[in-house]
Amino acid sequence: LACIKDGISYPELAPNTFSFNSPQGACPTCDGLGGLLEFDPELVIPNKNMSLREGAIKPWAKRTSIHHVEQLQEIARNCGFDWNAPVKELKANQLKTLLFGAGNDESAVAKSGRKACTFEGIIPLLKKRYDETDSFATQWELEQYMNYQTCPDCNGSRLRKESLAIKVAGLNIHEITRMSVVRSLDFFKELKLTPKESVIAGRILKEIRERLGFLKHVGLDYITLDRGSATLSGGEGQRIRLATQ
């Protein structure tokens, strides 16, 4: 299960390989949740008509320390924008530097002969504070500026890349569960297998077709198998339990 040329290796396959509730199958970035709680620039700076001096950065508006003020003034000088100007007047690269930092990227600062701005960025600073604090009150306060975003590594599939690399008829398990019940039922009915594969998969396919058939018979042919339980209506939940029974 390894490629000498590319250095890629895969673990032995097991049922847990395809479960996002298991460490063997869950995406390591989001722990199988499909998304991450990240700071949202639109919530951090909700009113772009305000300037930095007026408190445009909402998490810092009430308790802006001298240190934060000095950092913002420095980045304003080095990146060539007005501390008193509304945020909406900033150029795209200036706003990006303000939010995510410039590091040592000389292209992100004005060619004024000054040392490159090394401001970390508002969002990295907020994230550091969120990760390092032991105060639930502080975490709750910062979570007001965060949103649930799709995991960049698994794209919401909740599975690790090794699990998604395994395909049946050209589709991985996430692509199949994104189908509606009726479409996935057709997929498994029309699946073409060799005689040997048919012997191996016979019992599995029988179970899959029967369970999908139950969901179709109780009127849930339109839902997709990857639907979160929290998105289901009360009636849909009852019919799923009926199909399970």
Side-chain angles (χ1 to χ4, degrees):
L1 299 177
C3 176
I4 298 174
K5 181 179 178 181
D6 296 324
I8 298 172
S9 63
Y10 290 88
E12 289 284 347
L13 294 182
N16 288 343
T17 304
F18 305 99
S19 171
F20 46 75
N21 291 317
S22 166
Q24 290 96 318
C27 169
T29 302
C30 64
D31 293 326
L33 297 175
L36 300 167
L37 198 59
E38 298 284 0
F39 284 97
D40 186 340
E42 296 298 322
L43 297 177
V44 172
I45 307 180
N47 185 358
K48 292 184 172 58
N49 291 314
M50 297 176 67
S51 67
L52 297 178
R53 182 183 61 80
E54 294 171 328
I57 303 168
K58 194 171 181 181
W60 290 354
K62 294 181 180 179
R63 55 180 69 178
T64 301
S65 67
I66 297 298
H67 177 63
H68 288 154
V69 170
E70 290 176 349
Q71 282 185 308
L72 292 173
Q73 288 176 333
E74 179 189 357
I75 192 175
R77 287 193 301 269
N78 290 345
C79 296
F81 59 81
D82 188 354
W83 162 262
N84 297 302
V87 172
K88 67 180 181 181
E89 295 181 6
L90 300 182
K91 296 178 181 178
N93 65 322
Q94 292 174 333
L95 183 59
K96 182 179 178 182
T97 299
L98 178 65
L99 288 170
F100 301 102
N104 293 314
D105 184 4
E106 295 288 345
S107 65
V109 299
K111 297 179 180 179
S112 59
R114 295 179 181 273
K115 181 182 178 181
C117 176
T118 55
F119 180 64
E120 288 183 65
I122 294 165
I123 287 181
L125 286 172
L126 291 173
K127 183 171 176 58
K128 182 186 293 185
R129 185 182 174 203
Y130 181 82
D131 292 339
E132 293 178 355
T133 185
D134 293 325
S135 168
F136 289 110
T138 299
Q139 288 184 338
W140 178 83
E141 179 186 349
L142 292 174
E143 284 173 1
Q144 298 178 68
Y145 310 105
M146 304 173 82
N147 261 333
Y148 189 76
Q149 299 178 14
T150 302
C151 175
D153 287 344
C154 68
N155 292 318
S157 71
R158 308 205 277 186
L159 294 167
R160 59 175 63 240
K161 62 181 181 180
E162 292 86 354
S163 304
L164 298 174
I166 297 145
K167 301 184 178 183
V168 172
L171 299 178
N172 61 41
I173 188 170
H174 177 58
E175 291 169 326
I176 293 172
T177 56
R178 290 178 65 188
M179 297 178 180
S180 65
V181 166
V182 66
R183 188 178 169 199
S184 57
L185 183 57
D186 290 339
F187 171 82
F188 285 109
K189 284 181 177 178
E190 298 167 2
L191 189 62
K192 305 295 183 184
L193 300 174
T194 65
K196 180 180 178 181
E197 290 170 340
S198 296
V199 172
I200 296 170
R203 184 175 174 183
I204 301 170
L205 288 174
K206 178 177 180 292
E207 290 284 345
I208 290 174
R209 290 165 182 162
E210 283 185 356
R211 294 177 191 219
L212 289 172
F214 291 149
L215 290 170
K216 181 181 177 182
H217 291 322
V218 296
L220 294 176
D221 55 325
Y222 60 91
I223 69 167
T224 59
L225 296 179
D226 68 344
R227 279 274 298 275
S229 58
T231 68
L232 298 171
S233 69
E236 288 171 336
Q238 287 179 336
R239 283 180 281 169
I240 285 175
R241 288 190 290 274
L242 178 61
T244 303
Q245 294 300 318

